[in-house]
Amino acid sequence: MKLKFCFWMYLLMMSCQVLKVNSTEKKKFKLRISGGQAVNSIQLPYVVALLSHTRYICTGSVITPSHVITAAHCTYTRQASELFIRAGSSLRKSGGVVVAVSLIINHPSFNSKNMDYDVSVLKLLQPLTYSQFIAPIPLANQSHSWSPGTPALVSGWGFTKVGQTEDSRELQATMIELKNAKICDEEFVPYTLTPRMLCGGLLEQGKNSCKGDSGGPLIINGLLAGIVSWGAETKCGLLGVPAVYSNLPVLRPFVDIALKI
């Protein structure tokens, strides 16, 4: 009961922080989740579904009216002409607004073999109109770092349990915590984490991101700290199994450049 109360209090705090940023922006501009709970777009107005034509493929986050951030492994084999985002809806197949992607900006050093530099910025064909259902999430900067045990919020439309055959149709979110990189290194031998990666999960309760949550946000203290990247698809959400997230503070210089393109 205590964990559930903390989860909803954290969501309430997050909503207030994002909506506050939304108000400021208006004046300026006129995990795949296992063990999570359903949430709506007022609680997490920055989360969007990434579509290939009409098919859901990944999760993303609004960072400006014209930009969404996601994982490079979601986009590196695709053309901008096939991609769309659905914003302002907790359902990946309906509601909100659908906007076409005009440009894919993958990190030039992205490595599909070890998932290093797994970040992509998408430029939208038309800017989003901010509301209580659509708002940006502030980005962590290069000065941010967090110790193991730091709580974080992850969200997405991915699988909610091992063995599932279809992604969740309703947005899910859960609280996890950062872990020492050695935990992921030991779990995913022979792969090892690079400085561009974070290890996370609530391992004692089997809560984490899962297949289909790729590109989704990892939020710490109201900031986008990471992006759902990779893990053990056949074991996600099992007790003791971590997942890997792109480390946004380290990747922030690329994002800043991409926003100017």
Side-chain angles (χ1 to χ4, degrees):
M1 180 63 72
K2 183 178 180 180
L3 283 175
K4 186 174 182 180
F5 175 76
C6 291
F7 171 80
W8 289 111
M9 287 299 294
Y10 189 87
L11 279 185
L12 178 60
M13 178 185 72
M14 284 293 303
S15 299
C16 291
Q17 289 176 338
V18 172
L19 289 175
K20 182 178 180 180
V21 172
N22 181 25
S23 176
T24 301
E25 292 296 312
K26 277 187 175 181
K27 292 178 181 178
K28 183 177 180 181
F29 294 103
K30 286 256 174 179
L31 238 275
R32 54 185 204 171
I33 304 304
S34 177
Q37 301 177 48
V39 292
N40 60 49
S41 294
I42 294 179
Q43 294 167 310
L44 302 181
Y46 50 87
V47 182
V48 302
L50 180 60
L51 314 174
S52 175
H53 301 294
T54 60
R55 182 175 64 88
Y56 168 79
I57 56 171
C58 283
T59 303
S61 302
V62 176
I63 55 176
T64 82
S66 298
H67 297 89
V68 162
I69 193 168
T70 187
H73 77 263
C74 294
T75 60
Y76 80 106
T77 61
R78 303 181 185 277
Q79 300 296 318
S81 59
E82 72 180 89
L83 295 182
F84 299 81
I85 61 104
R86 184 185 300 279
S89 176
S90 60
L91 304 175
R92 61 183 173 86
K93 289 188 175 182
S94 63
V97 296
V98 175
V99 180
V101 172
S102 64
L103 183 65
I104 300 172
I105 312 169
N106 293 322
H107 197 293
S109 297
F110 171 64
N111 185 330
S112 62
K113 294 182 179 180
N114 67 357
M115 303 296 256
D116 203 3
Y117 297 93
D118 193 12
V119 59
S120 177
V121 174
L122 308 179
K123 189 172 183 179
L124 305 180
L125 186 61
Q126 298 176 328
L128 295 166
T129 300
Y130 290 161
S131 68
Q132 62 178 330
F133 304 104
I134 302 174
I137 184 69
L139 304 176
N141 59 45
Q142 289 178 269
S143 68
H144 286 102
S145 62
W146 304 276
S147 59
T150 299
L153 178 72
V154 291
S155 54
W157 280 276
F159 289 13
T160 58
K161 59 183 178 181
V162 176
Q164 191 173 342
T165 58
E166 184 178 358
D167 302 347
S168 172
R169 297 187 179 187
E170 189 171 7
L171 183 61
Q172 303 284 311
T174 193
M175 293 297 298
I176 65 165
E177 61 184 24
L178 297 187
K179 297 294 184 181
N180 190 297
K182 291 182 179 179
I183 292 178
C184 282
D185 289 341
E186 293 171 356
E187 178 66 32
F188 301 128
V189 173
Y191 301 100
T192 58
L193 268 64
T194 73
R196 277 76 58 185
M197 302 175 188
L198 295 169
C199 183
L202 198 58
L203 309 187
E204 300 78 9
Q205 298 184 33
K207 294 185 178 184
N208 219 330
S209 54
C210 195
K211 182 178 179 181
D213 289 322
S214 291
L218 175 80
I219 307 298
I220 297 177
N221 295 329
L223 299 174
L224 183 64
I227 299 168
V228 178
S229 184
W230 59 279
E233 289 187 356
T234 59
K235 298 192 294 182
C236 59
L238 294 181
L239 296 179
V241 179
V244 181
Y245 301 82
S246 300
N247 188 343
L248 191 62
V250 177
L251 297 167
R252 180 66 190 268
F254 158 76
V255 177
D256 291 341
I257 293 173
L259 293 178
K260 298 176 182 178
I261 296 176

